[in-house]
Amino acid sequence: AAIGRQLDQAKTQLLAFVGLQSAGDAVGGLVRAADGYANLSAKIKLATTSQAAFNLAEDAVFAISQRTSTALDSTATLFGRLSSALKDQGGSQREVLGLTETINKALAVSGATAAETSSVIVQLSQAFAAGRLSGDEFNSINDAGPRLMKALAASMGVTVGELKALAEAGKLTSDQLRIAFSGDQAKKIAAEFSQLPLTI
């Protein structure tokens, strides 16, 4: 009987400990979620010029993330970086949101990993900001986002193999990128994305 009581006490103590651990994990998760949301909001806030634009962008970025099965953080980062890069080039919020969705879908079609997606976002935003795609930016996107390269080549009427020479000549301008990732090419990428199987 004494052993039974000791086992019951040990069980009670263990359950209490597990409960505390679970509560601690839950609180930690809530803190991380709150911090994550604050960071996302900050990225979108910096990319918008008014409360109305912020509200629209926040809803749109979330919807794009859901539609493309892409991490919300990387979608917000892409939107923010493209907004900043295209601000002085006359890019509208609507265009940036469209580019964000198309790029997300193209990366999914390309089979890019989370790390590759993050790299492409950085390299592509740098290319837009610089006004052209070349050098390391070209190489990174060519490796991790072949579907983006295919769209760029098709929009320019050249082969994918010819893009490297054009990049070296400084002819892959941000205007060419904007054309390549919108219009007919965006529709083709969307159609291909729609054929991908939904996975967990």
Side-chain angles (χ1 to χ4, degrees):
I3 292 175
R5 285 195 299 273
Q6 289 175 348
L7 287 174
D8 285 341
Q9 287 176 344
K11 181 179 177 182
T12 300
Q13 289 171 348
L14 177 60
L15 288 174
F17 176 75
V18 169
L20 287 173
Q21 284 291 103
S22 297
D25 290 344
V27 170
L30 287 172
V31 169
R32 287 191 296 275
D35 287 346
Y37 177 75
N39 287 334
L40 289 170
S41 294
K43 289 176 184 178
I44 297 171
K45 193 77 172 175
L46 288 171
T48 53
T49 56
S50 69
Q51 186 63 45
F54 168 77
N55 292 341
L56 174 64
E58 187 176 46
D59 289 345
V61 165
F62 179 78
I64 289 170
S65 176
Q66 294 295 102
R67 283 197 299 271
T68 61
S69 300
T70 307
L72 183 56
D73 183 62
S74 66
T75 302
T77 298
L78 178 57
F79 169 77
R81 286 177 175 268
L82 287 180
S83 295
S84 177
L86 295 178
K87 187 181 298 182
D88 297 329
Q89 299 175 33
S92 67
Q93 186 178 79
R94 181 176 180 180
E95 180 188 9
V96 172
L97 288 168
L99 290 171
T100 298
E101 181 157 358
T102 296
I103 291 167
N104 270 359
K105 288 179 176 177
L107 289 171
V109 171
S110 296
T113 64
E116 288 171 333
T117 295
S118 179
S119 175
V120 168
I121 287 172
V122 172
Q123 303 297 339
L124 197 53
S125 61
Q126 288 176 348
F128 272 109
R132 66 182 182 280
L133 175 62
S134 60
D136 290 339
E137 288 88 1
F138 175 86
N139 293 331
S140 293
I141 297 168
N142 193 38
D143 290 341
R147 187 59 185 87
L148 291 169
M149 293 292 98
K150 182 179 176 183
L152 180 57
S155 71
M156 296 180 72
V158 299
T159 66
V160 173
E162 293 173 308
L163 289 177
K164 187 169 182 63
L166 291 172
E168 291 172 353
K171 294 185 177 179
L172 301 184
T173 65
S174 56
D175 283 339
Q176 293 288 353
L177 296 175
R178 289 164 76 175
I179 292 169
F181 307 147
S182 59
D184 289 341
Q185 293 306 314
K187 291 176 183 176
K188 290 178 181 178
I189 289 171
E192 292 172 24
F193 177 82
S194 70
Q195 300 303 309
L196 292 178
L198 283 176
T199 63
I200 293 175

